[in-house]
Amino acid sequence: MKLTLSLLLMALLPLVAQAQVPTSSSPTATRSATTVAPQPVMPPPQAARPQPQVLPSPQPAQPIRSTGPAQIAPTPAPKPTDKVYDRNGRIVPGVRPAGPNRVFDSRTGRYYDSVPAGDGQQIKR
């Protein structure tokens, strides 16, 4: 049964393919005979650049008044640094916070672990 069906399909395949091929002898036989006139070639425009638009300003133009050279702003007062305590609760001079749960001892150049304590940090040793 399957063999007969496949042989029948193979025999009909060339007929189906032939039905899709056009029968006219000339490829232009089905086209219209009108011709289109060629467009004249124009040189590219040289000065046809778009001009920038001037937008109206919301405020009238005012001259910039100069008061001389730029003034140096006073430096802000340094904020009080967090206090660092030793494990006995005494303030350690020269030690400052260096990050979360870290402090830096500027006298020795070492970093120490710390824990929050009151208004500052307490060194864990």
Side-chain angles (χ1 to χ4, degrees), residues 5-21:
L5 184 61
S6 63
L7 288 175
L8 182 62
L9 287 175
M10 290 167 104
L12 292 176
L13 187 61
L15 293 175
V16 174
Q18 185 65 29
Q20 294 179 1
V21 176

Side-chain angles (χ1 to χ4, degrees), residues 13-62:
L13 187 61
L15 293 175
V16 174
Q18 185 65 29
Q20 294 179 1
V21 176
T23 57
S24 66
S25 61
S26 172
T28 59
T30 58
R31 294 186 190 162
S32 65
T34 59
T35 58
V36 179
Q39 294 287 333
V41 178
M42 298 177 72
Q46 296 296 327
R49 293 184 181 159
Q51 298 297 323
Q53 286 184 322
V54 178
L55 300 175
S57 65
Q59 299 175 348
Q62 297 176 356

Side-chain angles (χ1 to χ4, degrees), residues 84-87 90-96 105 107 123 125:
V84 178
Y85 302 98
D86 63 5
R87 51 183 180 167
R90 295 179 299 219
I91 294 178
V92 182
V95 179
R96 59 183 175 203
D105 187 356
R107 293 178 299 162
I123 297 175
R125 287 194 193 184

